[in-house]
Amino acid sequence: MHITSHVSTNPQPTTHSTDIPSNFKSAIQGGTVLKRGAKGALVKELQNLLNEAGANPKLVADGDFGRGTENALKIFQRQHNLTTDGKFGRGTLAKLEIALQTAATDHADHSHDDHDHSVTTGVSTRTTGSTSIGGRLMSAVDGGQVLKRGAKGTTVKELQQLLNRAGASPALTADGDFGRGTENAVKAFQRKHGLGADGKFGRGTLAKLKEVLQLGVGTSPNGGTTVDNNNGGTTVDNNNGDTTVDNNNGGTNTTNDGVGQAIENQLGVFGGSLRRGGKGNAVRELQTLLNRAGANPKLTADGDFGRGTENAVKAFQRKHGLGADGKFGKGTWAALKKELGVDFKASDPLSDAGLSGTASTHYAYKKGKRLGKIQVVRIDGKPVEINTARSFLKMREAAQKDGVNIKINSGFRSYEEQKRLYDLYKAGRGNLAARPGYSNHQHGPAVDLNTRDPKVLRWLNKNGKKFGFVRTVPSEPWHWEYRP
């Protein structure tokens, strides 16, 4: 490769703004969800922001949310481990803001030092600096340096920035410290692209990263001796001369990206365990986190707890000296959080809704038999069994983000209430009702919802299972039951 460089006598560093306009942010945080078919100034701003975040191909900022915008949004969501629905709401806004801040850091880090170097190769010519990063990294690795855990310096920082651009999840803090988090991100990248997943960044992994990010050029070496660490020597970052040392924090990104909160809520609030046959967002998060912990083969994060997920849980349990039953409970969750260096605090939807401490107790009935007492709270003025209530509140919050308002028309029923409804039915003055003691409304899982609104029914049919709600009576579209 023929490389020439020259220094501009009048460098003009590129400025880069990543501030998300306040009106745009306020609209999304206030509950507006942009999706295909939307038009206007908010869509135009979204298109501009996606372009800043690296949309490829670039979007035409015409304010029309069509297939191209939807596809660009889905790509962004996949890269940042979000639900890939092509809709732009609060969750995607939060990730976009982080991504743009990372991009701003990249520009700021390099605009001062490198804006005045142009690089010419036999393949292409481009200007390094405020519009590109990775020059030092490519020079070092192409020259034989292998970056691995314990390394520090600018080359590591560039590696972390490029891994983030390639979709590292959780996103890495670009601090120039090659710790456990960076090692896991390298391993994940290597596994994804069929490379040996040793967590060391050498020429092979660099070549694949350049291919993925379409990086076609390096920069000329700027002095210093490179050290080949294939044989385990001390790694020296030759841009700043620092010798690597072990670091107790391990480079783990303890500021997690929120993946795992659904698991924490499920296990911490509802108890029990995730196991084969389970479905939903908590399972999807489990699959994602098992992948980060090195699941082999890698799991498809589809929210379906099948044999593959069970085997991955068993493998993790065996590795950590736990009972390998394939069920993911609090003990296995604690070990996984420790492995990944993350932590969460369970969020109880009842507390968020101001319903903590308001529960009353009632006898439950099933198949004509009186069971023990259950706790009941009131939502929309209707009594609802406490665990059903928690999941309903989470489901309603998600629906509201999509512009859909779900309400409860009927929930838990006491024996007396069910008898009253049954008597009305028998007298021809009421709707179909089960005999008292035999209705699923009497032991907790059943709720009747406002599905006369077609938007509510469509949303429930598409999303209800994610929150444990299923439709059990084909002739009654309003009747849903909580069956996690």
Side-chain angles (χ1 to χ4, degrees), residues 71 73-84 167 169:
N71 288 342
L73 187 53
K74 286 181 176 179
I75 290 171
F76 179 86
Q77 290 171 324
R78 276 195 298 270
Q79 288 176 339
H80 293 82
N81 204 35
L82 300 167
T83 301
T84 310
S169 182

Side-chain angles (χ1 to χ4, degrees), residues 444-460:
V447 287
D448 292 344
L449 305 176
N450 60 323
T451 56
R452 287 188 178 181
D453 182 341
K455 291 191 298 184
V456 170
L457 184 57
R458 283 196 300 268
W459 194 94
L460 286 168

Side-chain angles (χ1 to χ4, degrees), residues 3 20 58-59 85 95 125 183 191 197 231 235 289 309 323 360 410 433 446:
I3 303 177
I20 295 180
K58 291 287 186 184
L59 299 171
D85 58 3
K95 283 293 183 186
T125 302
E183 184 181 57
R191 280 193 296 269
N231 295 318
T235 304
L289 294 181
T309 304
S360 56
S410 181

Side-chain angles (χ1 to χ4, degrees), residues 174-405:
D175 57 3
D177 189 345
F178 197 127
R180 181 182 299 170
T182 303
E183 184 181 57
N184 287 342
V186 171
K187 286 181 178 179
F189 180 87
Q190 290 168 327
R191 280 193 296 269
K192 181 178 180 180
H193 296 283
L195 304 172
D198 60 1
K200 299 175 184 178
F201 191 84
R203 288 170 178 164
T205 309
L206 172 62
K208 181 56 70 172
L209 184 60
K210 288 197 288 186
E211 177 186 327
V212 169
L213 296 178
Q214 298 181 339
L215 302 174
V217 10
T219 60
S220 58
N222 50 17
T225 303
T226 60
V227 179
D228 186 345
N229 285 284
N230 287 314
N231 295 318
T234 302
T235 304
V236 177
D237 177 350
N238 291 289
N239 293 300
N240 57 20
D242 292 339
T243 302
T244 63
V245 295
D246 190 11
N247 107 60
N248 291 328
N249 294 326
T252 303
N253 180 14
T254 55
T255 304
N256 62 65
D257 60 355
V259 176
Q261 187 63 59
I263 301 174
E264 185 73 26
N265 293 341
Q266 179 77 19
L267 301 184
V269 177
F270 301 105
S273 62
L274 302 175
R275 62 183 72 189
R276 191 166 177 179
K279 298 179 186 294
N281 194 41
V283 175
R284 184 178 295 105
E285 290 190 351
L286 169 60
Q287 293 163 327
T288 299
L289 294 181
L290 286 171
N291 284 338
R292 293 178 187 175
N296 188 9
K298 192 172 183 179
L299 300 170
T300 300
D302 57 4
D304 190 345
F305 199 126
R307 180 180 297 174
T309 304
E310 184 179 58
N311 288 341
V313 171
K314 287 181 178 178
F316 180 86
Q317 291 169 326
R318 282 192 294 268
K319 177 181 176 182
H320 292 273
L322 304 170
D325 60 0
K327 298 175 183 177
F328 191 83
K330 290 183 178 179
T332 310
W333 179 219
L336 182 57
K337 287 189 288 186
K338 184 177 180 181
E339 167 83 6
L340 297 175
V342 297
D343 200 8
F344 300 88
K345 181 180 179 181
S347 173
D348 188 348
L350 296 180
S351 297
D352 297 340
L355 295 176
S356 291
T358 65
S360 56
T361 56
H362 302 265
Y363 281 110
Y365 290 83
K366 188 175 183 179
K367 296 181 179 179
K369 296 181 180 180
R370 192 175 81 173
L371 308 177
K373 288 187 175 181
I374 61 174
Q375 290 186 301
V376 173
V377 295
R378 286 189 172 269
I379 300 175
D380 298 331
K382 306 297 189 295
V384 184
E385 188 274 328
I386 197 164
N387 289 321
T388 304
R390 285 189 172 106
S391 281
F392 173 80
L393 289 170
K394 289 177 69 65
M395 180 171 72
R396 176 151 76 180
E397 180 183 12
Q400 286 173 339
K401 291 178 181 178
D402 289 336
V404 176
N405 190 20

Side-chain angles (χ1 to χ4, degrees), residues 401-438:
K401 291 178 181 178
D402 289 336
V404 176
N405 190 20
I406 304 175
K407 294 182 178 179
I408 295 178
N409 292 329
S410 181
F412 172 79
R413 297 173 189 163
S414 66
Y415 189 93
E416 293 74 21
E417 175 65 9
Q418 189 64 33
K419 183 177 184 304
R420 183 184 72 81
L421 294 173
Y422 180 72
D423 289 344
L424 288 172
Y425 162 66
K426 293 295 288 183
R429 293 185 286 116
N431 295 325
L432 176 66
R435 287 182 294 158
Y438 288 84

